[in-house]
Amino acid sequence: MTNIETSLKEATTSIEGTLGVALVDYTSGMALGTLGGGKDLDLTVAAAGNTDVVRAKVRTMEMLGLKDDIEDILITLGGQYHLIRLIKGRGKNGLFLYLALDKGRANLAMARHQLKRIEADLEV
């Protein structure tokens, strides 16, 4: 089990092309931790905005009567991937990991795999 800071550091070092990563509480929209980002990627703003994305998808699934869990949500931009992974487990509901990747350097399949592993080890 790893803490938030260690998990975020692991994401930036083990996932090729990482621009920034955050752990977000989607009930409040607040980032519990961030690493990376910069003037072109404000992770606090991204955390709040992606909270709306997660809430909308959860609400849509409820309206459709889908009884399934969201693993992740992918947003593809011209030069970036934005990956949102909802965290499951005891005491972890309402949280997601947000990962921004440089599309030219990232391997999306490997990023998803690594983020799943980081989620499993995360202790909140």
Side-chain angles (χ1 to χ4, degrees):
M1 295 294 203
T2 58
N3 67 19
I4 295 169
E5 183 180 340
T6 303
S7 294
L8 297 178
K9 282 182 185 175
E10 186 174 350
T12 61
T13 58
S14 69
I15 301 174
E16 182 71 27
T18 297
L19 300 172
V21 62
L23 178 66
V24 183
D25 175 350
Y26 70 81
T27 57
S28 69
M30 291 183 60
L32 304 178
T34 63
L35 189 61
K39 68 178 184 79
D40 294 330
L41 180 62
D42 184 329
L43 291 171
T44 304
V45 172
N50 285 309
T51 293
D52 293 336
V53 171
V54 171
R55 287 178 185 162
K57 187 59 186 171
V58 168
R59 190 172 49 251
T60 301
M61 288 180 63
E62 288 171 356
M63 290 186 308
L64 292 171
L66 298 175
K67 304 291 185 218
D68 208 346
D69 294 324
I70 299 170
E71 286 186 24
D72 53 43
I73 298 169
L74 172 64
I75 300 167
T76 305
L77 305 177
Q80 298 177 358
Y81 293 121
H82 291 227
L83 189 58
I84 300 166
R85 179 158 187 91
L86 275 70
I87 298 179
K88 298 165 192 66
R90 190 173 156 197
K92 297 179 184 177
N93 291 335
L95 301 178
F96 67 86
L97 282 164
Y98 166 69
L99 180 68
L101 299 164
D102 179 319
K103 197 173 179 180
R105 295 185 358 216
N107 178 321
L108 185 56
M110 285 303 297
R112 290 183 71 220
H113 176 74
Q114 291 285 19
L115 206 55
K116 183 177 183 178
R117 187 184 54 73
I118 291 167
E119 172 206 354
D121 291 340
L122 179 64
E123 183 178 301
V124 180

